[in-house]
Amino acid sequence: VILHIALPTPLDRLFEYRFDGLEAPPLGARVRVNFSGRPMLGFVAGSSAESLLTNKKLKRIEELVDARSLFQAELWQTLEFAARYYQHSLGEVLSQALPSAMRQRERSREPGIDYIVLSAATDSSALHRAAKTSAQGALIELLRFGALSTIQLDAALPAWRAAYQQLAKRHVVERFRVSQFDPPPINHSRPSLNVEQQAALNTIHSKARYQAYLLFGITGSGKTEVYLRAIQQVLEKGQQALLLVPEIGLTPQTVQRIRERLAARVGVMHSNLSDSERELCWQSALAGRLDVVIGTRSAVFCQFPDLGLIVIDEEHDASYKQMEGFRYHARDLALKRAHLRGIPIILGSATPSLESLRNASANRLHLLTLSQRARAASLPRIELIDLRTQSQQDGLSLRAEQEIRAALSAGEQVLVFRNRRGFAQQLQCESCGFVPHCPRCEQALTVHRKAHALKCHYCGYQQPLHSACPSCHSEQLAAIGAGTERIQDALAQRFAEWPIVRIDRDAIRSKGALEKALARVGDGAPCILVGTQMLAKGHDFPKLTLVVVIGCDAGLHSLDFRASERLVQLLFQVSGRAGRAERPGRVLIQSHQPEHPLLQLLFKQNYTEIAQHLMHEREQTKLPPFAAAAMLRAESADVLRLQEFMQQARALFPVSQTLECFGPMPALLPKRAGKHRAQLVLTSAERGTLHQAIKSWRTALPALTRADLHYSLDIDPMDFS
Ligand SMILES: [Zn+2]
Ligand SMILES: [Zn+2]
């Protein structure tokens, strides 16, 4: 038999290999082959009795790894569709849909996680005497409160294995394997539903076949409760459910809450897990040992014996789009899977994407609305602070400072939102004007004062913080613009009697640090939270009544066509943090342009109205969702080579009345990590026309490339950076 193998290479074709068996293995089974002298794992994607190659040229399949397909029929069809739609090699698409451990290892181990535990019957002081080395003592100390997984031990005590070997010989500790997720005890309390929530749920329950819903509910309206009830219904029928959440939204508390509420076996899948933890979840779901999987983007490839529902929380979130390699959108692939499987899917958001709103108005999505805040809380009041008439220091206006003091004195909590980490945006010499730039990206370096460094936020380059100007040796260096670090310092000086908790990627570096920081806020005592968008989503602070937004003006002027949509969504999310319980909330937005139409619309707290405004702009400019778009991105250290490639690529694109091509133009970040970057934007009012044109056009691109030039194609790009 001749097998057609999909290999994880950028080459978009199948490869023929000879298989010494009587019949072809099933589609989607893994095989080990030799590809250009390298061993590689590929997937069976077809078979035939004959080959165009001579028998001599045809290599043998070295090993059949799986006897069965790794993909259920509907996921296989979804992935074949994805390879065509995103114009990406099938081998890479299939490979991306598997946990990385299964892409590399040839035979996957029996799923399970090993735990280490102290042997029963001895008390801990006796155990401590048994320790012959300090590492052994440390291991015993760690295990005193219960079993820990090998993964947790790797993080807590890197030298634990040697200590474990010695202690295990003396029967002080034992190892055991857990191969399934046990459901927690049933928690009977659940909030009652209001009329709108009940109506939404009834609609969802009324149909068991494919139907896509857009659950459009303002922050605090209880979308999660609707998801949970819908999931519960599916579990009662003996089916399973998949819940996708954005990157930042997934905390252990969220998972624990859902696990207890559903009393179900819940698996978790996100990028912070180890390869083996991800594989365990994937395998367990497939084997029917899980009722629900909660996960970020890549969990969309999880399989279940009888999947009954898919829920996508915060469907507008940009993290659902994979930005490199196989650039898929998890929401769009989830819709495809639900359709092929014939099951309902719920997209939920307080600020739906313009794409989904348009689909709702075209009846491709059934719109369900939640307009009431649960628990009778009212929406926060928004106020704009005009920075042209207010003095400010370290990014904070006098007015904001007064309001913060009043809230703290009243025993309430405050959130200061600034979506930029570091101390200052840039350093500037006051005598000669010199500004230190990243040598690789040509962007101003961000000042990180605590770390005594100047850092590039685009490529990670860093250098020590100057004490004198490298150009004129003056010591008058000014830090310009305030990041979260500086705002925290400034607040600490002014509000010394209250705790200040900062949450951003610099302050929260280790696993568990976010939980610790949130726990400090959770007790409700007055305090100030300072943070970036890490704070904007999903966290509930019942005692938070005041939100101050600093430095959002940049989002009003970005060249990225989605920037204003993102800014509005972010501001709605942040505002939604205020006044979630019985206390009314207030939001102060500092701006140099309070008369800007978007900020004026924000005032009214009516997302539908803002969306219509943005929609109108997109229609005028013929941008998504009013056109299909794709982007060719390229980068090279050699700017002439880059320009030449882009010009040639453009010349080959069949521009017509229905097909447009913009560019080549420099990317929003024209240089990154030493490479010049440029892009072509391709659009058409008809998606099919665009995709067909790209399909033939892209086959000509490999011939145009040269050494040190890298390009990629992005279908439905999420940003123009
Ligand atoms: Zn100078
Ligand atoms: Zn850089």
Side-chain angles (χ1 to χ4, degrees):
V1 191
I2 309 301
L3 296 186
H4 305 177
I5 304 300
L7 289 171
T9 73
L11 299 171
D12 189 11
R13 45 168 289 218
L14 301 178
F15 297 86
E16 294 189 337
Y17 285 87
R18 192 156 50 86
F19 179 60
D20 301 333
L22 287 175
E23 57 186 279
L27 296 185
R30 285 174 303 171
V31 291
R32 194 156 55 83
V33 297
N34 180 314
F35 180 69
S36 308
R38 289 193 295 141
M40 202 178 261
L41 269 187
F43 302 87
V44 178
S47 62
S48 56
E50 283 171 42
S51 165
L52 293 174
L53 295 172
T54 59
N55 226 351
K56 231 191 245 169
K57 277 200 159 172
L58 210 54
K59 279 183 275 188
R60 261 182 62 237
I61 296 279
E62 299 194 341
E63 188 195 1
L64 177 65
V65 180
D66 308 295
R68 292 183 307 160
S69 174
L70 286 180
F71 306 96
Q72 294 169 347
E74 144 272 322
L75 181 59
W76 178 263
Q77 287 169 32
T78 304
L79 296 170
E80 276 190 326
F81 160 82
R84 286 194 307 273
Y85 184 87
Y86 292 108
Q87 314 221 9
H88 204 81
S89 113
L90 180 65
E92 285 194 342
V93 170
L94 295 171
S95 172
Q96 286 290 311
L98 291 180
S100 54
M102 297 179 66
R103 294 173 216 157
Q104 295 141 13
R105 220 177 28 243
E106 285 149 31
R107 277 188 196 286
S108 48
R109 285 176 306 154
E110 182 59 24
I113 290 183
D114 284 339
Y115 280 81
I116 309 297
V117 67
L118 293 179
S119 305
T122 1
D123 65 66
S124 68
S125 61
L127 289 173
H128 269 289
R129 284 195 298 279
K132 298 273 184 341
T133 65
S134 61
Q136 292 177 13
L139 180 59
I140 289 172
E141 190 54 32
L142 277 174
L143 297 173
R144 219 148 58 85
F145 300 102
L148 290 176
S149 71
T150 53
I151 296 153
Q152 290 167 314
L153 284 171
D154 283 338
L157 185 67
W160 72 272
R161 280 169 209 275
Y164 162 77
Q165 298 289 351
Q166 295 306 315
L167 291 171
K169 267 186 210 155
R170 300 203 300 280
H171 305 290
V172 178
V173 295
E174 291 168 16
R175 179 189 278 253
F176 66 96
R177 172 163 277 215
V178 171
S179 60
Q180 71 182 46
F181 302 81
D182 290 322
I186 293 178
N187 181 337
H188 286 287
S189 74
R190 50 182 208 180
S192 53
L193 299 180
N194 65 27
V195 178
E196 284 182 332
Q197 286 173 311
Q198 190 60 58
L201 205 58
N202 291 346
T203 310
I204 295 165
H205 286 172
S206 68
K207 213 166 174 187
R209 277 169 299 137
Y210 171 75
Q211 176 66 56
Y213 300 96
L214 176 61
L215 182 64
F216 178 13
I218 60 172
T219 49
S221 62
K223 288 186 292 296
T224 309
E225 191 53 35
V226 175
Y227 304 153
L228 292 179
R229 300 267 184 136
I231 291 174
Q232 191 116 49
Q233 182 92 355
V234 161
L235 300 188
E236 279 162 14
K237 286 194 278 182
Q239 292 181 305
Q240 302 83 40
L242 174 62
L243 169 59
L244 295 186
V245 294
E247 259 352 313
I248 322 180
L250 195 59
T251 64
Q253 279 91 333
T254 315
V255 176
Q256 191 53 28
R257 243 192 352 250
I258 292 174
R259 192 173 269 161
E260 284 170 4
R261 188 53 184 66
L262 294 173
R265 299 170 300 174
V266 175
V268 181
M269 191 107 159
H270 57 79
S271 53
N272 269 342
L273 297 176
S274 68
D275 287 353
S276 57
E277 285 172 311
R278 268 203 298 275
E279 186 191 352
L280 172 64
C281 181
W282 193 90
Q283 295 272 21
S284 301
L286 184 61
R289 287 194 290 261
L290 291 175
D291 305 309
V292 180
V293 167
I294 309 178
T296 51
R297 184 175 62 231
S298 67
V300 73
F301 302 119
C302 272
Q303 302 176 91
F304 304 83
D306 189 8
L307 182 63
L309 174 70
I310 303 177
V311 178
I312 303 187
D313 190 23
E314 312 285 6
E315 64 85 27
H316 64 276
D317 197 274
S319 71
Y320 287 124
K321 174 81 196 235
Q322 164 106 343
M323 300 289 194
E324 52 196 38
F326 167 36
R327 294 169 161 82
Y328 65 93
H329 199 300
R331 176 193 60 209
D332 298 343
L333 288 186
L335 282 163
K336 184 74 185 174
R337 282 192 75 181
H339 186 250
L340 285 169
R341 236 194 143 87
I343 58 170
I345 175 168
I346 307 173
L347 315 183
S349 177
T351 51
S353 61
L354 300 187
E355 276 77 4
S356 292
L357 285 174
R358 184 139 195 266
N359 282 334
S361 61
N363 286 325
R364 286 187 287 268
L365 294 173
H366 183 131
L367 183 66
L368 303 167
T369 312
L370 303 179
S371 60
Q372 309 289 319
R373 279 195 136 188
R375 282 170 286 157
S378 52
L379 276 174
R381 206 172 74 231
I382 293 184
E383 262 176 71
L384 297 168
I385 297 183
D386 188 345
L387 287 178
R388 291 167 306 194
T389 63
Q390 279 272 322
S391 67
Q392 54 162 333
Q393 218 187 337
D394 299 315
L396 210 60
S397 66
L398 190 62
R399 174 74 206 293
E401 189 183 331
Q402 288 163 347
E403 296 287 345
I404 292 172
R405 189 171 303 281
L408 291 171
S409 307
E412 292 165 355
Q413 296 181 330
V414 177
L415 163 60
V416 178
F417 178 77
R418 168 70 168 124
N419 209 10
R420 190 171 194 111
R421 59 201 172 83
F423 184 80
Q425 256 160 286
Q426 61 181 65
L427 202 63
Q428 186 167 36
C429 171
E430 291 191 322
S431 27
C432 77
F434 176 83
V435 173
H437 279 68
C438 173
R440 294 148 44 91
C441 306
E442 295 171 4
Q443 298 287 319
L445 291 166
T446 305
V447 184
H448 286 251
R449 208 162 66 169
K450 281 209 186 71
H452 285 285
L454 290 170
K455 295 186 188 177
C456 173
H457 283 192
Y458 302 100
C459 75
Y461 166 88
Q462 58 173 301
Q463 62 182 60
L465 190 55
H466 308 287
S467 55
C469 172
S471 174
C472 75
H473 308 292
S474 156
E475 290 186 4
Q476 301 300 103
L477 298 178
I480 298 179
T484 47
E485 190 186 326
R486 183 178 202 163
I487 292 166
Q488 183 190 22
D489 284 0
L491 290 166
Q493 278 169 22
R494 285 169 234 187
F495 302 101
E497 56 274 52
W498 286 287
I500 296 171
V501 181
R502 189 176 107 217
I503 295 185
D504 60 29
R505 266 206 290 134
D506 297 319
I508 306 294
R509 307 192 75 141
S510 60
K511 257 191 192 182
L514 180 62
E515 285 68 52
K516 249 183 236 161
L518 292 175
R520 283 183 66 192
V521 187
D523 65 1
C527 70
I528 307 178
L529 273 154
V530 182
T532 56
Q533 59 175 334
M534 246 182 148
L535 262 181
K537 290 169 197 171
H539 312 296
D540 227 338
F541 308 112
K543 291 281 179 68
L544 186 81
T545 57
L546 178 65
V547 171
V548 179
V549 178
I550 294 178
C552 66
D553 286 353
L556 299 171
H557 304 292
S558 171
L559 293 171
D560 185 343
F561 78 97
R562 285 189 209 267
S564 37
E565 181 186 350
R566 294 247 174 82
L567 176 70
V568 167
Q569 288 164 342
L570 191 58
L571 290 179
F572 261 83
Q573 296 278 353
V574 178
S575 307
R577 300 306 108 207
R580 285 176 67 94
E582 286 68 32
R583 297 148 184 258
R586 273 187 323 134
V587 181
L588 305 177
I589 298 176
Q590 297 192 161
S591 171
H592 280 100
Q593 262 188 300
E595 72 283 353
H596 193 285
L598 268 190
L599 293 181
Q600 285 299 322
L601 279 168
L602 259 184
F603 222 26
K604 300 196 209 160
Q605 292 267 45
N606 184 338
Y607 183 73
T608 310
E609 205 174 317
I610 300 184
Q612 276 163 0
H613 171 86
L614 295 173
M615 210 78 108
H616 184 69
E617 280 180 6
R618 298 273 184 90
E619 196 168 9
Q620 299 286 305
T621 46
K622 288 196 260 171
L623 282 167
F626 294 92
M631 203 151 106
L632 177 74
R633 295 190 179 87
E635 59 176 42
S636 171
D638 184 339
V639 71
L640 292 175
R641 199 172 288 180
L642 178 66
Q643 282 166 358
E644 196 185 26
F645 169 78
M646 287 310 247
Q647 293 295 355
Q648 290 175 343
R650 194 208 148 105
L652 288 179
F653 191 75
V655 175
S656 69
Q657 279 200 320
T658 50
L659 276 173
E660 290 195 88
C661 177
F662 304 95
M665 54 187 134
L668 281 190
L669 194 63
K671 198 174 172 192
R672 186 169 68 194
K675 308 261 186 177
H676 298 274
R677 309 164 76 233
Q679 56 203 26
L680 280 181
V681 177
L682 317 165
T683 65
S684 171
E686 295 146 37
R687 191 175 300 276
T689 310
L690 178 68
H691 287 202
Q692 205 50 46
I694 291 174
K695 197 175 167 192
S696 46
W697 174 65
R698 77 183 174 110
T699 58
L701 297 179
L704 305 180
T705 57
R706 44 221 78 189
D708 184 40
L709 186 136
H710 181 256
Y711 73 86
S712 62
L713 195 62
D714 190 354
I715 306 289
D716 302 337
M718 284 304 280
D719 58 19
F720 281 5
S721 57

